[in-house]
Amino acid sequence: MKTRGHDIEVSAASDQVVVRVKDSVVAISSRPLVLTETGCPPRYYLPPDDVKMDLLRSSTTTSHCPFKGDAVYWSVDTGDDLAEDVVWSYPEPFERVEQIAGRLAFWAEKPGVTLEVNGQGA
């Protein structure tokens, strides 16, 4: 969907997505939704069932996107370290991206976070 020169699209994929924080595998999914948005790298939104939720710690951080809505964040506890605010979700996203509701995305640009898609760094 295009809004004021801003494109945003969500599509289902069958790519194998593996997320690591430090040396811990935090998620493995072959059911991602890929969100592409003007000015942003592709984001892979994963079902909570494919994420090791026991490693996530709820954060008080929130943010607002004029195209997606209000996001909530989690930190990842790897046992020896806490990677703060590296996971987010839109519990009630705007209608145009409603498919991502409740799914989790990882901030691969943060130190210690790696996201692989089909064995390749993303």
Side-chain angles (χ1 to χ4, degrees):
M1 169 174 274
K2 191 168 188 155
T3 307
R4 295 172 281 152
H6 188 93
D7 285 325
I8 190 165
E9 184 177 322
V10 178
S11 56
S14 59
D15 296 316
Q16 176 83 14
V17 177
V18 177
V19 181
R20 289 183 180 82
V21 175
K22 310 292 187 215
D23 293 325
S24 299
V25 174
V26 178
I28 300 174
S29 183
S30 57
R31 307 179 293 160
L33 291 179
V34 182
L35 186 142
T36 53
E37 181 176 6
T38 301
C40 299
R43 298 293 184 192
Y44 292 83
Y45 283 80
L46 309 181
D49 289 348
D50 295 349
V51 177
K52 293 182 180 176
M53 297 299 290
D54 59 317
L55 299 179
L56 274 54
R57 304 292 175 258
S58 186
S59 170
T60 57
T61 301
T62 60
S63 64
H64 177 78
C65 171
F67 304 102
K68 295 184 291 289
D70 296 319
V72 296
Y73 288 77
W74 290 267
S75 299
V76 175
D77 186 348
T78 60
D80 6 300
D81 199 10
L82 188 68
E84 293 190 31
D85 297 338
V86 297
V87 184
W88 73 89
S89 180
Y90 290 90
E92 297 177 13
F94 294 149
E95 187 175 337
R96 75 180 73 137
V97 293
E98 65 188 352
Q99 309 97 302
I100 66 169
R103 286 177 169 251
L104 302 162
F106 291 81
W107 213 340
E109 296 85 354
K110 293 265 188 167
V113 180
T114 54
L115 190 137
E116 294 175 5
V117 179
N118 297 327
Q120 302 295 314

